[in-house]
Each structure stands twice: as C-alpha cells, then as structure tokens.
Amino acid sequence: MFRNIIFFLSVVILFNSCGGTDDEETDSVPMEPISTQYVIENDSIIEFMQTHFYNYEDFTNLSSNSTIELIIDTISGDNSDKISLFDQVTTLSIDILDENDEVVPHNLYYIINREGSGQSPTVADSVFVSYKGLTLGNNVFDSRKNPVWLDNTTVVRGFKEFNALLKRGDISTNPNGTYEFNNFGVGFVIMPSFLGYYENNTATIPAYSPLIFQVNMHTMNTADHDADGINSIDEDLNGDHIFSNDDTDSDNIPNYRDRDDDGDGILTEDEYDEDGDGIPDDSDGDGIPDYLDNDEN
C-alpha cells in the first residue's frame, strides 16, 4: 500500500525544475557557445572550490536521522586551516552535445556524507527529498526542509544525475501512523550551468550560474510513467538520460509517456512479453522487439 501511495504522490506533485515551481517566470539571454562557456565556468568552479570549505566537521558523526544544513565559507582568517572543497570532492563527467553535435564533457563535483542504506534511484525515478539550492555567491534560491516528491525526468540534469549517486533510507512506521526515515543518503553537488538552467534566469538565479545542491535522499519510487510494464529508465533507448528524444513512432509522445511505443495499435504492455519468459518478444526475429516494431509479422 505504501508503494501505491508513493506512486500516486509522485504523479500528482509535479515540479518542472528544482529551484522554481511552475509559476516562477524565467527569461533567457543570448545563448553562449557551450564548449566556451563550460571552460569559463569550470575554471570558476575550481577556483571556488580551492578557496572555500564546507562545515565538514558537523557531518563527522551523523546520527541515523540527521539533516545537517550545508554551510560554505571562505578559507581565510580563523578558517585558514580548513580543508578545501577541492581536496574533498569526487568528479563525475557527463557528456553533453553542443550546438554542433560535438561531445563536451561536463564535470559534476560532489561529496557524499552518508551513502544511504537502500536502493539508488535512476535518473527516471521519483524521489522524496529535502534539499537546498544555492549559487557560488552563497545565495540560497530554493530550500525544502520538509521532503517533497520530485520526478527526476523533470528536474535539471545535474540534480537528477547526483540523485542517482545516493541511496534511499530505511522507512519505519511510528505508533501514530507517521513515517520515519533513517540512514538516508546525504550529500551535495556543484555543477556548471548547462546542467542547471544555462541561459535561463530567474529573479534569484542569474543566467550562466553554476549551482550547488545539497540533497537528502529520504526514499524513492521506481517509475513507469505510462504504466506499460516497462520501467521508464528502460525506455531511454539511447541511454543518454534524456527522455524526450526516444520516440519510436514519431508521434511526439516520448516512449516513456507512450502506451503504444511503435504506434501499431497494440499496447506496449500487450506485446512486450506475451509468452512471459522475461525476454521482450521478437516475432519476426529481426532483432527489434515487437513493442518497438510496427511490422513484426
């Protein structure tokens, strides 16, 4: 029953992005070349990490249900002996196609304070998280101290990529019927703007702003957005973690939202694995599963 509640909430609570709800206005400035802009921003992120530290000592002995707030400050004066962010982060490289279809690797820099005890979400799943978003200028543009459901397919790229590195916590039921989360994943990520909002700006986020997100991964739910029996992550056919560009029948409904992926009039769930052997059916043996093949006979 709890799983059904999770699925329902993950559908009805919709955020287009972290750091702004649907009614927050965004504007765009002229788009800069992606490769050039990334070099500029990556240099600024590295300089920032070399000259700043976070309150890592507060995270040393995390209790099972702690939600310590991330604080970042400059290494100077009384803080001159602190360990820099640069000396503590792990790097994840994400391939981005630029305006010329050339691959431009973008680095995410992250620290995991507590990995979590359960399953990790994918970039397609729903996550129940509390979080804090800020710019390198230490401007907090969004904060959710109470967990909320977010759909990873609708949040900014860097946020969902980092979510997938954390694990959900343990869920226990209190005598009064409320739920408690323990041993959930805790960490934060620093990302270049193309993995955030890039040329778009809001009242609190300037265009081309590298971003920082602290995330507490309370729990998650495996998503099947179109309820066709195929997890949404498995409908990312090219594996690029972008779900809008997988549209087998070119009907402008991406596969993860399309109950008839190949447009042959037969629902995906009815032709995916009709014989129940756990392997997608391929009636004509052409290497294309029936649910993606509108000419399988």
Side-chain angles (χ1 to χ4, degrees):
M1 180 177 179
F2 184 66
R3 179 182 174 86
N4 290 338
I5 293 173
I6 290 176
F7 179 77
F8 175 75
L9 288 173
S10 68
V11 171
V12 299
I13 299 179
L14 177 62
F15 284 77
N16 279 342
S17 61
C18 297
T21 55
D22 293 346
D23 57 1
E24 182 172 354
E25 293 185 2
T26 61
D27 298 306
S28 296
V29 299
M31 188 169 179
E32 298 291 341
I34 293 173
S35 58
T36 303
Q37 184 64 28
Y38 171 68
V39 171
I40 295 171
E41 290 184 18
N42 190 56
D43 287 346
S44 69
I45 290 172
I46 290 175
E47 181 181 3
F48 174 84
M49 293 191 300
Q50 290 173 334
T51 57
H52 288 75
F53 74 101
Y54 81 104
N55 54 327
Y56 53 86
E57 293 166 331
D58 296 337
F59 290 84
T60 301
N61 296 306
L62 276 177
S63 63
S64 64
N65 60 355
S66 293
T67 55
I68 295 173
E69 183 177 5
L70 173 69
I71 299 174
I72 295 178
D73 202 350
T74 306
I75 299 176
S76 63
D78 293 340
N79 297 321
S80 59
D81 61 343
K82 300 298 185 182
I83 303 173
S84 72
L85 287 164
F86 183 79
D87 290 326
Q88 297 188 64
V89 295
T90 299
T91 303
L92 173 66
S93 181
I94 297 174
D95 287 342
I96 298 296
L97 288 180
D98 68 7
E99 56 278 353
N100 299 313
D101 288 332
E102 298 289 336
V103 174
V104 180
H106 279 51
N107 285 343
L108 282 178
Y109 302 99
Y110 67 91
I111 290 175
I112 294 178
N113 303 110
R114 182 172 62 215
E115 185 179 37
S117 60
Q119 180 182 353
S120 293
T122 72
V123 295
D125 292 332
S126 296
V127 293
F128 193 52
V129 294
S130 53
Y131 66 90
K132 175 182 177 180
L134 58 158
T135 64
L136 298 192
N138 217 24
N139 173 46
V140 177
F141 58 82
D142 196 5
S143 181
R144 297 289 189 272
K145 292 186 177 181
N146 295 318
V148 295
W149 280 104
L150 298 176
D151 180 346
N152 265 348
T153 65
T154 65
V155 300
V156 295
R157 179 74 182 270
F159 190 90
K160 70 181 178 183
E161 295 285 355
F162 178 61
N163 280 344
L165 301 176
L166 297 171
K167 295 180 179 180
R168 60 174 290 174
D170 304 315
I171 306 173
S172 58
T173 306
N174 298 317
N176 62 1
T178 61
Y179 293 99
E180 183 174 315
F181 301 94
N182 293 282
N183 302 311
F184 47 86
V186 176
F188 65 93
V189 61
I190 305 173
M191 66 184 74
S193 70
F194 196 83
L195 301 179
Y197 302 107
Y198 205 51
E199 82 275 20
N200 298 302
N201 64 74
T202 70
T204 53
I205 308 174
Y208 303 113
S209 290
L211 302 176
I212 303 170
F213 280 105
Q214 180 188 24
V215 182
N216 300 307
M217 180 61 62
H218 296 275
T219 191
M220 48 77 62
N221 184 54
T222 301
D224 175 6
H225 287 80
D226 52 9
D228 64 357
I230 304 175
N231 290 339
S232 294
I233 188 63
D234 296 322
E235 303 216 56
D236 176 22
L237 301 181
N238 57 17
D240 65 355
H241 292 183
I242 300 172
F243 295 87
S244 59
N245 62 13
D246 298 280
D247 182 9
T248 299
D249 57 5
S250 301
D251 63 351
N252 294 318
I253 304 174
N255 287 4
Y256 84 110
R257 292 282 187 183
D258 193 345
R259 301 199 67 193
D260 179 9
D261 290 338
D262 59 4
D264 64 355
I266 304 173
L267 294 179
T268 295
E269 61 182 324
D270 293 330
E271 60 179 347
Y272 177 71
D273 183 20
E274 191 173 3
D275 57 14
D277 64 356
I279 302 173
D281 297 338
D282 180 10
S283 299
D284 58 6
D286 65 353
I288 304 174
D290 289 350
Y291 79 100
L292 299 174
D293 188 353
N294 62 9
D295 185 25
E296 64 264 22
N297 297 314

